[in-house]
Amino acid sequence: MTIVIERARAARAYASAMSETTATATEPRVTIDVANHVAEVRLSRPDKHNALDAAMFLGIEAAAAEVAATPGVRAVVLHGEGPSFCSGLDIASFMSGPISTNDLVAREGDEVANLAQRVAYDWLRLPVPVIAAVHGYCFGGGLQIALGADIRIAAPDAQLSIMEIRWGLVPDMAITQTLPRLVRSDVARELVYTGRRVSGEEAAELGLATRVAADPLAAARELAADIAGRSPDAIRAGKRLLNEAWLADAREALLLETELQVALLGSPNQIAAVTAGMTKQPGEFTDPA
């Protein structure tokens, strides 16, 4: 826990410093508000459609670490300020900034190879559900960040694209760990090979988005509040079960089901959930340390 907190503090301090030297505004690239057990994480570079520059990369990584270290968080809403969720890589800023191809190197002892991958995959690694509210542009790295969320609620007219082919690149922000859970192989190939844009409605049909809503942020907040009102032990166990067992072999998956269920049965939060269900009253749960 101490390592996580120190990493969050250091990264956020660096990100804040970078935002002052690389942007006209002094506002932080990413902000976090926690209320009623829900952490709301907002990408805050609206004048650039929340494009990913060095400070944004560092800010997002730090935000995920800070949320992980914050007691009492049961769900996360991830969204972008202004007209878009995230328009992808700020190519000019990235090429001239302090983050370069040298950062695309495995960090010793870390499960995830590099910073760009952590910015997307850290949302999947959080023990609590993450809901991305997608509107406007959601391109390239922005889409890969959204794919790291457990659930994506998109505006019908949102535009999504795996856009890296436009720059002669492959998508490399943990897409191998997120996209195969959501769409068929041939669908993934078409999107990767062409970089074509799809609307929020088509994204829901393909599996890139969970569903559409006229106001995706309001819908994400409503869903997060629902999740936050349930047993945090069961929610965390459910996320772990789906993360680890989704593509596992049958034996490993079934053993994990049993392991997680045995730990929940008869626990204080499980009893509180039964009491809440029988009395039709909100559950009185204790958050994990």
Side-chain angles (χ1 to χ4, degrees):
M1 180 65 75
T2 300
I3 293 174
V4 171
I5 293 173
E6 290 304 319
R7 174 179 161 192
R9 288 174 179 166
R12 282 182 67 79
Y14 185 16
S16 178
M18 285 306 307
S19 70
E20 294 182 3
T21 59
T22 62
T24 57
T26 58
E27 293 298 316
R29 285 286 191 261
V30 183
T31 62
I32 304 171
D33 295 301
V34 180
N36 301 317
H37 300 288
V38 175
E40 194 161 302
V41 179
R42 181 173 66 250
L43 310 184
S44 299
R45 199 187 181 200
D47 57 318
K48 297 292 186 180
H49 292 264
N50 299 314
L52 299 165
D53 64 354
M56 183 72 88
F57 269 97
L58 293 168
I60 295 172
E61 182 193 32
E66 185 169 316
V67 170
T70 301
V73 172
R74 300 179 186 175
V76 179
V77 172
L78 176 63
H79 66 101
E81 182 181 355
S84 295
F85 177 78
C86 176
S87 59
L89 195 65
D90 183 339
I91 294 292
S93 176
F94 181 82
M95 295 303 290
S96 61
I99 295 180
S100 69
T101 53
N102 290 332
D103 294 286
L104 303 180
V105 177
R107 189 167 66 186
E108 185 176 355
D110 199 302
E111 174 192 1
V112 184
N114 61 62
L115 173 62
Q117 291 168 341
R118 291 193 297 274
V119 163
Y121 195 63
D122 277 357
W123 303 109
L124 193 63
R125 290 201 289 184
L126 279 182
V128 299
V130 178
I131 306 158
V134 177
H135 73 293
Y137 297 147
C138 186
F139 294 158
L143 177 53
Q144 291 181 80
I145 291 169
L147 293 177
D150 297 79
I151 296 164
R152 284 152 300 285
I153 302 177
D157 60 351
Q159 297 184 56
L160 295 83
S161 171
I162 302 173
M163 193 171 276
E164 283 73 11
I165 191 65
R166 177 178 177 180
W167 310 111
L169 300 170
V170 296
D172 66 338
M173 291 173 59
I175 200 168
T176 57
Q177 304 305 303
T178 57
L179 194 61
R181 302 167 185 253
L182 304 174
V183 304
R184 299 193 320 255
S185 174
D186 59 328
V187 172
R189 290 165 190 271
E190 181 199 5
L191 296 175
V192 170
Y193 297 163
T194 67
R196 76 176 181 90
R197 300 184 185 185
V198 300
S199 68
E201 289 186 341
E202 184 180 1
E205 294 171 359
L206 295 175
L208 287 177
T210 309
R211 56 184 169 95
V212 296
D215 187 340
L217 180 54
R221 286 169 171 164
E222 181 179 0
L223 178 57
D226 185 339
I227 292 170
R230 301 177 186 275
S231 167
D233 291 343
I235 291 295
R236 287 169 176 245
K239 177 160 182 174
R240 181 185 167 195
L241 176 65
L242 295 174
N243 276 357
E244 296 182 16
W246 194 256
L247 300 178
D249 65 50
R251 182 178 183 279
E252 291 178 353
L254 294 172
L255 283 172
L256 183 58
E257 283 183 24
T258 302
E259 174 190 333
L260 295 173
Q261 192 76 307
V262 167
L264 292 171
L265 284 170
S267 66
N269 277 344
Q270 197 262 324
I271 294 171
V274 172
T275 301
M278 296 184 69
T279 62
K280 310 300 182 185
Q281 298 296 316
E284 297 183 5
F285 300 113
T286 301
D287 289 288

